[in-house]
Amino acid sequence: MSTGVRRIRVRVTGAVQGVGFRPFVYSLAARLGLAGHVLNDSNGVEIELEGKNGLVNRFLGELEASSPPLAIISSVSAEELEPAGGESFEIRASVRQDRRAVLVSPDYATCPDCLRELDDPADRRHRYPFTNCTNCGPRYTIITDIPYDRARTTMSVFEMCPDCRADYEDPSNRRFHAEPTCCAACGPKVYLADRTGSPVGCADPIGKCRELLAAGSVVAVKGLGGFHLACDASNDEAVAGLRSRKTREEKPLAVMVRDLDTAESIAMMTREEREALPGKERPILLLKKRDGHGLSELVAPKSATFGVMLSYTPLHHLLMKGPYPALVMTSGNMTDEPIAHRNDDALGRLSEIADFFLLNDRDIHIRTDDSVARFSAGAVRFLRRSRGYAPFPVALPEGLSRNVILAVGPELKNTVCVTRNGSAFVSHHVGDLKNAPAYASFLQAVDHLSNMLDVAPAAVAHDTHPAYLSTKYAKECGLPAVEVQHHHAHIASVLAERGIDERVIGVSFDGAGWGDDGHVWGGEFLTCDLASYRRHGHLEYQPLPGGDATSRKPYRMAYVYLRDAGPLPDLDEQERKTLDRMIERSFNTPLTSSAGRLFDAASAILNVCAVNTYEGQAPMELEAACAGDENGSYRARIDDGSPFIVRASDIIARLVEDMRTGTPVETCAARFHNSAAQVILEGCRTIRDREGISRTALSGGVFANGYLLEKTKALLEEDGFDVLLNTIVPAGDGGVSLGQAAIAARRLSCV
Ligand code: ZN
Ligand code: ZN
Ligand code: FE
């Protein structure tokens, strides 16, 4: 190149549309004095550049180094062209797009630039509760169809004012093609209503709302993905009132705080937690309570942690300016129902709970709960993956079927998953499919995800449990169906996250899943890849009197384990007789190998928790009771065989002995957890000896338990095992749809 001038065509793929990529390229090229153009096409972004060689190279260097915050670049490739001259750089209209390649972003928290404007009295967006830009704001919750533009969002009813229009059309502006952009002159408005829905006249609804909250009221606040029920988290009376009206007796309530310093004043944080809390996804993180935190004890009774999140919309930022340290922000629903997300629905369902409603006229198209995570065993682990993360895709292993697969998930903590071109898109948290509103929400999730990805599923993957509503849907939807065993799906979710398909030892410690022998599985030692699995061992079977309902009654499992072992818990004579009769006659009493029920039994025996008022309460409180520095454990025999049987009742017998001799509950609880970890190690050793596999994957709801996860991982690694864990989807049932999708994609690639 004698002139030192070159022209190249650059292709960028990944999440590069709708995230401010073209204006970024435009200003970078303009700054370097390069000519050419940028446009969106079916694969991502195409750029043509002409200029001095050194400047072109600088452009390429900065392209990746300083791309916009929401962009995720998968690949950059460049080809040389003949120089064509030209002086200027321009943003060209998009060429006709194959809509299949476009990724829809999750909803992200208000960015620092928007926050600055929110607080700047001179800015025209000062205190405007819906301000957003290309780097932040709603996406997944407001999109009604694709391609993603304003006309196909719930913002379509708001016509942009001339000022907003000018921002939107200016390539150098942060709001260039920010589809939900708006201001006080043209956008949605907030208003306050009483519990009958009658407007409360006031000049400043958010200011009035702060006063009401400070005075102890419960306010239903319409947020990004649905309604929250809010009250002052330091006010006992307000929190007690909210609890009793929501009939939520003991389940910890999430709190929102204004900034990291306030979070620090109520909770202890590690460096990783301090980094994750203010991330653009703004999850609720479970953080260890700090002594003297100043919040009501009723926020999270019997829990060692608070669920904490930072404000993530402009409305929240404005609300958090009130004279309270934190607000309880719990999902706006009655227990077991989906979160309310429409004004009329909220007024109908929440009027018995909330004193006031802070409403607005922007519709939420799809409800999306807050995501919940905790740090354990060195990484973030999701308990619920939803807002801020859904529908960001997981790249599946190579070589799987490219057919579009819909995986419908299990019954509890349901999510659905759709595959497209080698990626798996897991939906927002749908919830427990136990009632008609939840099932309607499930149907909407299936539609929303398929519409947004612009695909029609060619096959459906489902759980083997015949009674799940999701299974029934799969069998009746008319598509070729692939049945997937529940615990195989749990382990496959780990393989899918890692993009691998090789045979591993899979340990699934879980609540309940349909077993191939008709029993209720949940303490399983498998070997599996995505194609198939084999059950090598399991926790010994115990009767489960009352079936699924028994997961609410840990004392029943205590009774089951103690029938042979020792002193019986205080149990009503009548109930004892009933249980005996049920067990004797196997009436409504399946057998179970569930690890979750084993943890229930231990929790009840130690008098930590005998009745679950919410799912997982007994094991959570048992974990909270553990002494941190106890290394003792109780041995359990393993009956050799195929499958081998772990005698978990040995552990319970030793636990009872310990209690009898006056060992403190904290010590017993820790020893019990250590025993479970030890049992997993021994099961894995047995399989390694037989099969020569030393890579393990742990998944299933019981691994939400941080103490257990850390102990188990440490024991396995000390013994030379490689340990794979979930980091993208929950180890619990929220991850099952991903596992189902990966298994179905593998099986369909073989036919
Ligand atoms: Zn912004
Ligand atoms: Zn405007
Ligand atoms: Fe499960």
Side-chain angles (χ1 to χ4, degrees):
M1 262 169 276
S2 55
T3 57
V5 167
R6 71 198 263 231
R7 186 179 186 89
I8 56 170
R9 180 181 293 133
V10 184
R11 291 186 192 285
V12 187
T13 66
V16 290
Q17 297 190 4
V19 292
F21 206 82
R22 286 173 301 163
F24 155 71
V25 167
Y26 172 86
S27 46
L28 180 57
R31 185 153 55 77
L32 296 173
L34 297 167
H37 67 258
V38 57
L39 55 83
N40 281 346
D41 70 7
S42 57
N43 299 311
V45 168
E46 184 195 282
I47 307 162
E48 278 194 29
L49 273 183
E50 184 164 336
K52 289 216 178 78
N53 188 30
L55 294 174
V56 169
N57 286 339
R58 252 182 71 195
F59 177 93
L60 290 173
E62 286 189 35
L63 184 72
E64 286 190 76
S66 55
S67 66
L70 302 190
I72 298 171
I73 296 178
S74 309
S75 72
V76 178
S77 61
E79 64 179 297
E80 299 291 334
L81 302 175
E82 281 300 312
E87 306 268 282
S88 64
F89 195 89
E90 61 181 23
I91 295 180
R92 287 207 183 149
S94 303
V95 295
R96 202 158 56 87
Q97 294 186 25
D98 173 5
R99 306 189 296 180
R100 282 157 197 270
V102 180
L103 295 180
V104 169
S105 291
D107 304 275
Y108 288 130
T110 309
C111 73
D113 289 331
C114 284
L115 260 188
R116 213 169 300 124
E117 293 166 350
L118 188 71
D119 285 335
D120 177 2
D123 194 277
R124 70 185 189 87
R125 290 187 171 83
H126 181 227
R127 293 193 182 158
Y128 179 58
F130 301 97
T131 188
N132 65 80
C133 73
T134 339
N135 300 329
C136 71
R139 298 279 194 286
Y140 184 68
T141 50
I142 59 164
I143 293 173
T144 54
D145 199 0
I146 51 149
Y148 175 48
D149 60 26
R150 190 181 182 95
R152 277 166 279 249
T153 70
T154 61
M155 286 297 294
S156 63
V157 295
F158 301 99
E159 197 180 333
M160 276 184 229
C161 68
D163 287 341
C164 285
R165 169 71 54 193
D167 290 348
Y168 180 87
E169 288 172 354
D170 172 6
S172 67
N173 193 288
R174 199 172 90 245
R175 294 190 170 86
F176 178 67
H177 278 273
E179 305 301 341
T181 192
C182 56
C183 71
C186 65
K189 292 182 176 33
V190 288
Y191 56 101
L192 194 64
D194 66 15
R195 59 169 30 149
T196 68
S198 312
V200 175
C202 57
D204 175 11
I206 297 175
K208 180 72 185 165
C209 188
R210 286 193 293 254
E211 282 170 29
L212 292 167
L213 288 165
S217 293
V218 173
V219 182
V221 178
K222 186 180 188 180
L224 191 57
F227 278 79
H228 282 121
L229 290 159
C231 73
D232 176 357
S234 64
N235 182 332
D236 280 334
E237 234 172 281
V239 181
L242 173 54
R243 275 200 183 279
S244 72
R245 290 186 235 164
K246 203 183 163 183
T247 57
R248 189 156 168 174
E249 291 152 42
E250 293 175 339
K251 187 172 182 178
L253 303 168
V255 297
M256 179 177 277
V257 294
R258 64 177 65 86
D259 54 27
L260 213 46
D261 285 347
T262 317
E264 202 90 55
S265 73
I266 61 169
M268 322 267 272
M269 281 189 271
T270 62
R271 185 177 51 80
E272 290 98 330
E273 289 164 343
R274 218 173 285 120
E275 281 168 15
L277 200 63
K280 62 184 186 297
E281 299 87 359
R282 296 286 157 104
I284 294 172
L285 287 185
L286 304 191
L287 302 173
K288 200 163 183 300
K289 288 179 182 171
R290 185 181 286 281
D291 288 341
H293 52 70
L295 302 191
S296 166
E297 288 303 330
L298 299 172
V299 169
K302 297 199 221 171
S303 171
T305 59
F306 283 127
V308 183
M309 64 184 144
L310 298 183
S311 318
Y312 56 83
T313 68
L315 177 67
H316 295 146
H317 285 285
L318 296 170
L319 269 185
M320 291 312 303
K321 291 184 193 294
Y324 23 75
L327 287 177
V328 164
M329 282 290 226
T330 185
S331 13
N333 57 359
M334 292 298 278
T335 304
D336 294 340
E337 286 182 358
I339 180 173
H341 69 302
R342 291 182 192 284
N343 293 351
D344 51 350
D345 179 37
L347 284 165
R349 283 160 62 198
L350 306 179
S351 62
E352 300 292 308
I353 308 177
D355 301 307
F356 295 93
F357 289 78
L358 187 60
L359 301 167
N360 68 67
D361 53 355
R362 182 174 77 195
D363 285 341
I364 298 168
H365 179 64
I366 198 89
R367 60 166 65 87
T368 306
D369 292 72
D370 295 318
S371 295
V372 185
R374 70 185 294 187
F375 271 85
S376 61
V380 64
R381 314 284 170 196
F382 286 95
L383 304 175
R384 182 165 76 202
R385 174 194 184 267
S386 204
R387 177 188 50 75
Y389 300 93
F392 202 81
V394 175
L396 291 173
E398 298 288 319
L400 305 186
S401 165
R402 289 285 167 138
N403 283 337
V404 174
I405 293 158
L406 164 68
V408 293
E411 178 171 71
L412 298 180
K413 299 185 158 86
N414 181 276
T415 60
V416 300
C417 176
V418 172
T419 67
R420 185 185 73 175
N421 285 339
S423 292
F425 297 79
V426 181
S427 75
H428 59 287
H429 166 81
V430 177
D432 297 351
L433 302 184
K434 284 181 163 177
N435 48 48
Y439 186 67
S441 183
F442 163 83
L443 295 177
Q444 203 195 4
V446 170
D447 278 352
H448 187 55
L449 204 52
S450 314
N451 280 344
M452 260 185 15
L453 296 171
D454 194 26
V455 291
V460 61
H462 64 85
D463 200 278
T464 49
H465 199 304
Y468 287 175
L469 289 178
S470 53
T471 303
K472 289 183 179 169
Y473 169 87
K475 288 189 168 163
E476 287 161 12
C477 72
L479 294 172
V482 180
E483 266 198 342
V484 180
Q485 199 280 327
H486 188 85
H487 302 101
H488 186 202
H490 271 305
I491 303 303
S493 75
V494 181
L495 299 180
E497 278 190 14
R498 291 298 183 107
I500 58 175
D501 180 17
E502 61 175 53
R503 208 144 187 94
V504 296
I505 300 172
V507 181
S508 187
F509 269 33
D510 196 31
W514 186 268
D516 293 348
D517 56 4
H519 299 316
V520 179
W521 292 8
E524 310 306 312
F525 293 86
L526 317 173
T527 57
C528 66
D529 53 20
L530 292 179
S532 65
Y533 76 95
R534 189 176 144 209
R535 190 189 200 201
H536 283 262
H538 59 87
L539 299 185
E540 70 189 338
Y541 281 129
Q542 293 288 352
L544 184 65
D548 284 348
T550 297
S551 64
R552 291 204 169 261
K553 299 173 178 170
Y555 69 87
R556 282 193 171 182
M557 285 317 290
Y559 179 73
V560 164
Y561 272 98
L562 292 179
R563 275 178 313 142
D564 318 313
L568 296 172
D570 310 330
L571 196 61
D572 177 280
E573 190 55 35
Q574 190 55 44
E575 174 140 21
R576 180 183 310 193
K577 278 188 187 153
T578 310
L579 287 178
D580 282 338
R581 215 175 310 126
M582 286 169 83
I583 294 169
E584 259 165 49
R585 299 180 191 170
S586 305
F587 173 72
N588 191 18
T589 300
L591 293 177
T592 187
S593 54
S594 166
R597 299 295 83 77
L598 174 65
F599 274 72
D600 282 353
S603 189
I605 289 168
L606 288 172
N607 290 314
V608 170
C609 176
V611 178
N612 282 333
T613 65
Y614 61 91
E615 203 244 312
Q617 181 178 6
M620 267 165 73
E621 292 181 359
L622 189 64
E623 182 192 350
C626 284
D629 51 356
E630 173 59 40
N631 285 315
S633 66
Y634 312 120
R635 282 200 71 80
R637 284 167 293 170
I638 293 186
D639 294 344
D640 200 22
S642 202
F644 62 78
I645 309 292
V646 178
R647 299 271 203 101
S649 52
D650 289 355
I651 296 174
I652 297 293
R654 299 290 105 71
L655 179 74
V656 170
E657 256 173 54
D658 250 3
M659 276 187 69
R660 255 194 217 135
T661 56
T663 312
V665 169
E666 295 72 31
T667 310
C668 294
R671 287 181 182 168
F672 172 80
H673 279 75
N674 297 345
S675 313
Q678 188 65 35
V679 151
I680 292 173
L681 171 64
E682 281 166 28
C684 289
R685 275 182 180 156
T686 306
I687 298 175
R688 181 172 61 187
D689 291 347
R690 288 182 187 175
E691 303 283 316
I693 301 172
S694 61
R695 177 167 263 192
T696 62
L698 313 181
S699 191
V702 173
F703 290 111
N705 185 316
Y707 185 103
L708 177 71
L709 193 70
E710 282 171 15
K711 277 278 169 183
T712 308
K713 181 167 182 273
L715 281 184
L716 286 168
E717 286 177 347
E718 264 167 47
D719 208 68
F721 286 98
D722 182 18
V723 182
L724 306 181
L725 304 172
N726 291 104
T727 55
I728 301 177
V729 296
D733 281 3
V736 163
S737 66
L738 174 63
Q740 291 174 341
I743 289 169
R746 176 69 171 81
R747 292 199 184 145
L748 293 172
S749 72
C750 307
V751 293

